[in-house]
Amino acid sequence: MEQIVRLDLGVAEAFDTRQLEELYQQLGQARADDVICGVLEELATLLSMVERCYREGRRQDMRRHVNTLSQLAAQIGLPLVARVARDVINCIDTGHTVPLAATLSRLVRAGEHSLVEIWDLKDMPI
């Protein structure tokens, strides 16, 4: 009999709740909510743009978008997404196409998963 194994994306390291707490302490509830919502929307847009650039072979545009994505992810406490984004940049810079495809896929999975999870965390009282 075959067993199905579910692989975890590393959720334990996906969030830095301290970063979110700091945002709320510095900005207050309403402003922090606005900032986080804006960053989440921008991250979703950037993930889409990165995938489009990859399909179209526009590596320099892709690199620029991934760099922005990495910075925004770090800003709201998504170190896993930020780190995988830096790995994508490394693959672009070295010109390794197979690792780029695999790492980009990981970035998209981690990014989409994190967007959903952080949205849920945002709605919880800190």
Side-chain angles (χ1 to χ4, degrees), residues 41-95:
E41 289 176 16
E42 185 68 17
L43 288 174
T45 299
L46 285 166
L47 282 170
S48 177
M49 292 169 68
V50 165
E51 287 181 294
R52 176 184 288 154
C53 288
Y54 176 76
R55 285 191 309 272
E56 295 173 356
R58 296 184 296 131
R59 297 298 188 258
Q60 289 308 309
D61 289 338
M62 181 180 165
R63 187 186 193 290
R64 183 173 38 85
H65 295 316
V66 172
N67 187 52
T68 302
L69 189 147
S70 176
Q71 292 171 6
L72 290 174
Q75 178 185 354
I76 62 168
L78 298 174
L80 175 65
V81 174
R83 187 177 69 240
V84 175
R86 289 189 304 270
D87 292 341
V88 169
I89 290 171
N90 185 47
C91 291
I92 293 169
D93 291 347
T94 59

Side-chain angles (χ1 to χ4, degrees), residues 20-41:
L20 286 176
E21 290 170 0
E22 284 181 30
L23 279 173
Y24 279 95
Q25 287 175 355
Q26 290 174 357
L27 303 175
Q29 179 77 33
R31 181 70 182 123
D33 282 347
D34 289 345
V35 168
I36 291 169
C37 288
V39 171
L40 292 176
E41 289 176 16

Side-chain angles (χ1 to χ4, degrees), residues 94-108:
T94 59
H96 296 138
T97 57
V98 173
L100 174 59
T103 308
L104 177 59
S105 292
R106 182 162 191 239
L107 175 62
V108 170

